Amino acid sequence: MSSSKPPSITSGSRPYPHDHTPLTPSGLRQSRTVSSSSMSDDTTRDPAGPSTRHDLLNDDTDETTSLLAHNERVHDGPCDHGTFSPRVSSPTPRAGTLDAEIGSIAGSDSSAPSSETLLKGSWRKTFSSKVKSKKMTDSRTLAQQHGVKDSWWMYLSYYIPFLIWIKQYRWSWLKGDFTAAITIASMYLPMALSYADNLAHVPPINGLYAFAINPFVYALLGSCPLMIVGPEAAGSLLIGSIVKDSIDLGNGEDDNAVLQAKVAGVAVGIAGATVFIMGVCRLGFLDSVLSRPFLRGFISAIGIVIFIDQLIPVLGLHRVAKTAPGVTHGSTVDKLEFVLTHLGDGHKLTAIVGGVGFVVIMVLREIKRRLQPRYPGVAYFPDRLLIVVVSAVLTYQLDWEHHGVPILGKVEAASGHVFQFRNPFQLSHMTHIRNAMGTSFLIGMLGFFESSVAAKSLGGEEIVEGMQLSPNRELVALGAANLIGACFMAIPAFGGYGRSKVNKSTGGKSPMSSLLLSVMTVICIFFLLPWFYYLPKPILSALIMAVAWSLIEEAPHDISFFLRIKGWTELSLMAVILLVTIFFSLNLGIAIGIGLSLLQVIRHATRPRIQILGRIPNSDRFANAEEHPEDLEFVEGCLIVKIPEPLTFANTGELKNRLRRLELYGTGNAHPALPRLRPQASNRNVIFDIHGVTSMDGSGTQVLEEIVRNYRDRGVRVFFSRPVSRQNQVWQLMERSGIVELVGGKHRFVDDVKDALRMTETEDFEGTGACAVASDEIS
């Protein structure tokens, strides 16, 4: 046998590291003597598993014995308290005839109800049994067991959080909520005008609509009390790309404000509907699908795109850009090249106003950042509002409009009517719906991811009792807000961490600040729009450039972190998204980034993580043999494989190949070009540790059945250790698929690996004994 061994692949005193006959073999199998194997067949074949334990009451008391024995009584009467302290008994569920007939849970009065009660309550109970989910039914059972009143109002309040926080609202909170609302309005309403006009390319009033409608709806349905929803730079930029594409396809002109508003409404409607449907389908877990490097790379790319895009109006090059071919609708590189080659062609006064405005904004921002730790009240200072007001006053006093500085002008609805309702899903809009479908989906996903980050950052402390952060309810709230906003052609609005942080730092206590913000925006739309006439557009563009800078400045920290840990995969993903977005287009960068992220997720999910186990010397514990095989003992004739995860169609595709590699080499790290390194005799018994297999689907069950059947046909004995409970779905699937019968019965499912090893030794001895008897008879 030694002559047929392949050459050693490792150096050292262990010439054949994967020959599972080590210098110090395990003593587990040898711990079972010959006499012990002659016990009765019933004892040997006693089914073992988590649901079939030995009779512990007959065992001797040891260190695992309960503090209160099962046959001890600490007081007279029924014993219905906890282990250490008595408590009031919970009401005992009682079965009701009517509830049993209509499929509701047990717990109604056992006395026969009157006919009037039956007629009056039957339709309610029938309706309840139809619409209540299994989780709600189980919750009702728990509530009855603990004496808690169960009602429909409780579930309705969970899905409409407004019903929770409005009952707990205190008048003492109103001052803080009002201060936070007016601070946010002064800081972000000018930004909304700028987002709509410069990024989304729709009438400026549509940006105000996003603050008038969306925060109001979110305050009713949202699960994060302090989050403020509103328009964001990324979503507005994507809306602008849809509007530009619609114009490029010949569906309108650059100055057709009505059409641009319609296209924006259609795109926001699709984004809102997508997010809403995801919430109804309980897809809130998708906020973990896209990785941090993807989001950082994408947000940084958007920051660079916005910054370069806004350089044109800030430097007074907007008139030259309109006459230059391929600039207005070109790529970021085209615009950067245009800016660098036409620096001297811009309008001088416009460039001075825009440049000075940007410098002042950044200086005030830095001053606030440095002073806020020592003087928290600095956060209340409306620096952006001050800049907007001063610039508007200077424009009016110095007559900058007639000197060539572009101003915002008359702010009005494109149709001439404020808050005009328009269905975004009309058949006449089908062309726009088809063109906007892909980008609108990305708007919804990106908005949800950003809102999720903000909600998780703000939702740590429970300000309003009973309001629990839920990704699914966040999807419903954000989707409903954007669906309603789309009916009035508002630009997309989602949660933002910066805006919500301002709400918290300026005294916001509850969603009332969102309601007050909506009311203030409505007042602004109806009464203050003429005051926006003299706002200089270079100042609005400078405000957006400051936001773009804040998006970019967070990237160096993440880049340095990944460089420190040598995360080349993450850095490559960030670089690809950034370069594709800048050199080609925003949509292509998003598509490639999402594709690469999903490929990483799929690769991670489909890779089986099975391990070969070895025994830690002088113990009954087992460890992964691929990490330090020289420190472990291996059992002759046994292959011990741990499956640490559920088996699904995703991760069982390569399970057979991975298992075959363990049989041949004793490790999954060996190249398949190598000859067999592990003797065939080492695989007489295969023990699967399936403690981690908490669930299986049909595909995983089928693959496992094929593996077990193949082992049986080859004469290999199969054992399963640490299986799940016999009432679990995994066990039921194993029985129905025939796996239990293939391995030889329920007795092959044992409580621990060491029990399986002892069974292999017993069966090896019985087989050897049978062969010896047959040999004696023949002789």
Side-chain angles (χ1 to χ4, degrees), residues 19 29 48 78 108 142 145 307 336 383 484 547 669 675 677 772 778:
D19 181 358
R29 281 162 56 98
S108 61
L142 289 173
Q145 291 175 354
F307 192 89
L336 181 60
D383 53 329
I484 297 175
V547 174
N669 299 325
L677 305 179
I778 292 175

Side-chain angles (χ1 to χ4, degrees), residues 241-256 259-260 263 329 431-432 435:
S241 69
I242 296 175
V243 172
K244 285 183 179 180
D245 290 342
S246 179
I247 295 173
D248 292 341
L249 293 174
N251 296 327
E253 301 296 333
D254 284 338
D255 56 353
N256 191 343
L259 178 62
Q260 293 169 358
V263 173
H329 296 207
T431 301
H432 303 313
N435 295 336

Side-chain angles (χ1 to χ4, degrees), residues 133 326 378 436 444 534 645:
S133 64
V378 174
Y534 287 100
E645 60 185 350

Side-chain angles (χ1 to χ4, degrees), residues 379-646:
Y380 293 82
F381 182 70
D383 53 329
R384 297 178 190 177
L385 178 64
L386 179 64
I387 294 171
V388 168
V389 171
V390 170
S391 64
V393 171
L394 291 176
T395 302
Y396 175 75
Q397 293 291 337
L398 302 178
D399 199 17
W400 283 350
E401 180 183 6
H402 290 89
H403 288 81
V405 177
I407 62 173
L408 189 60
K410 187 176 182 181
V411 179
E412 60 181 358
S415 61
H417 302 284
V418 177
F419 289 112
Q420 182 180 10
F421 182 87
R422 187 184 298 274
N423 180 13
F425 301 108
Q426 299 178 24
L427 292 179
S428 58
H429 295 162
M430 190 56 64
T431 301
H432 303 313
I433 292 175
R434 285 196 298 266
N435 295 336
M437 186 69 71
T439 307
S440 297
F441 174 76
L442 297 176
I443 292 173
M445 293 295 294
L446 182 64
F448 169 59
F449 293 144
E450 188 172 0
S451 301
S452 177
V453 171
K456 290 177 181 178
S457 302
L458 297 166
E461 52 182 294
E462 189 173 334
I463 299 173
V464 180
E465 184 179 356
M467 284 189 68
Q468 303 175 19
L469 184 63
S470 167
N472 295 318
R473 286 186 296 155
E474 284 296 295
L475 284 169
V476 171
L478 295 170
N482 282 280
L483 272 174
I484 297 175
C487 295
F488 300 93
M489 294 170 288
I491 61 177
F494 292 91
Y497 177 68
R499 187 169 49 245
S500 302
K501 187 177 180 181
V502 171
N503 178 44
K504 181 178 180 180
S505 63
T506 53
K509 298 292 183 183
S510 72
M512 182 63 74
S513 57
S514 293
L515 294 179
L516 293 174
L517 175 62
S518 295
V519 172
M520 292 177 186
T521 307
V522 171
I523 294 174
C524 178
I525 291 174
F526 279 106
F527 302 105
L528 301 180
L529 288 184
W531 292 41
F532 297 134
Y533 184 90
Y534 287 100
L535 286 181
K537 287 190 174 182
I539 293 297
L540 297 179
S541 296
L543 289 172
I544 296 179
M545 286 180 63
V547 174
W549 183 267
S550 67
L551 297 178
I552 300 171
E553 66 181 356
E554 297 181 8
H557 175 268
D558 288 354
I559 292 175
S560 63
F561 175 79
F562 289 124
L563 284 174
R564 188 165 65 250
I565 66 172
K566 297 183 179 181
W568 309 123
T569 302
E570 291 78 8
L571 289 171
S572 301
L573 179 62
M574 293 175 62
V576 167
I577 296 173
L578 186 65
L579 295 176
V580 172
T581 301
I582 293 175
F583 283 93
F584 294 96
S585 68
L586 187 63
N587 293 344
L588 184 60
I590 295 173
I592 291 179
I594 290 180
L596 292 176
S597 296
L598 292 180
L599 283 177
Q600 288 183 345
V601 172
I602 294 172
R603 181 190 176 199
H604 180 76
T606 56
R607 183 173 54 193
R609 295 169 179 79
I610 61 175
Q611 306 168 1
I612 183 170
L613 299 182
R615 177 178 175 266
I616 299 176
N618 303 319
S619 72
D620 291 338
R621 294 184 294 116
F622 294 82
N624 185 2
E626 296 187 68
E627 296 179 353
H628 301 286
E630 66 279 359
D631 298 332
L632 300 175
E633 297 176 346
F634 296 90
V635 182
E636 182 181 0
C638 291
L639 175 66
I640 308 173
V641 178
K642 179 180 179 180
I643 306 178
E645 60 185 350

Side-chain angles (χ1 to χ4, degrees), residues 19-157:
D19 181 358
H20 289 240
T21 310
L23 300 177
T24 309
S26 171
L28 277 178
R29 281 162 56 98
Q30 283 73 17
S31 65
R32 191 175 181 88
T33 61
V34 175
S35 60
S36 65
S37 64
S38 60
M39 63 178 63
S40 64
D41 184 67
D42 292 340
T43 305
T44 306
R45 301 293 184 182
D46 182 31
S51 59
T52 315
R53 308 293 185 189
H54 294 291
D55 188 2
L56 297 176
L57 297 178
N58 297 328
D59 292 342
D60 294 334
T61 302
D62 56 15
E63 66 272 11
T64 63
T65 306
S66 303
L67 293 176
L68 294 178
H70 294 281
N71 56 354
E72 293 179 340
R73 306 289 295 180
V74 296
H75 59 77
D76 297 332
C79 185
D80 52 6
H81 54 71
T83 305
F84 298 107
S85 59
R87 58 179 172 84
V88 180
S89 59
S90 302
T92 305
R94 294 164 292 182
T97 306
L98 178 61
D99 287 343
E101 291 176 354
I102 65 175
S104 61
I105 63 172
S108 61
D109 192 357
S110 59
S111 60
S114 64
S115 59
E116 180 181 356
T117 305
L118 286 173
L119 293 175
K120 190 175 181 180
S122 60
W123 70 270
R124 293 181 181 177
K125 298 196 175 195
T126 303
F127 178 76
S128 171
S129 66
K130 296 297 183 183
V131 303
K132 276 194 173 182
S133 64
K134 183 179 185 298
K135 186 175 291 186
M136 292 171 66
T137 304
D138 294 341
S139 300
R140 184 178 177 188
T141 305
L142 289 173
Q144 289 181 341
Q145 291 175 354
H146 291 81
V148 177
K149 183 180 179 181
D150 180 87
S151 65
W152 265 102
W153 181 263
M154 179 175 63
Y155 298 107
L156 185 63
S157 300

Side-chain angles (χ1 to χ4, degrees), residues 153 171 197 219 270 286 346 355 375 455 498 566 570 591 599 657 721 757:
W153 181 263
W171 286 108
D197 185 57
I270 297 173
L286 289 178
Y375 307 101
K566 297 183 179 181
E570 291 78 8
L599 283 177
N657 293 335
S721 70
L757 288 173

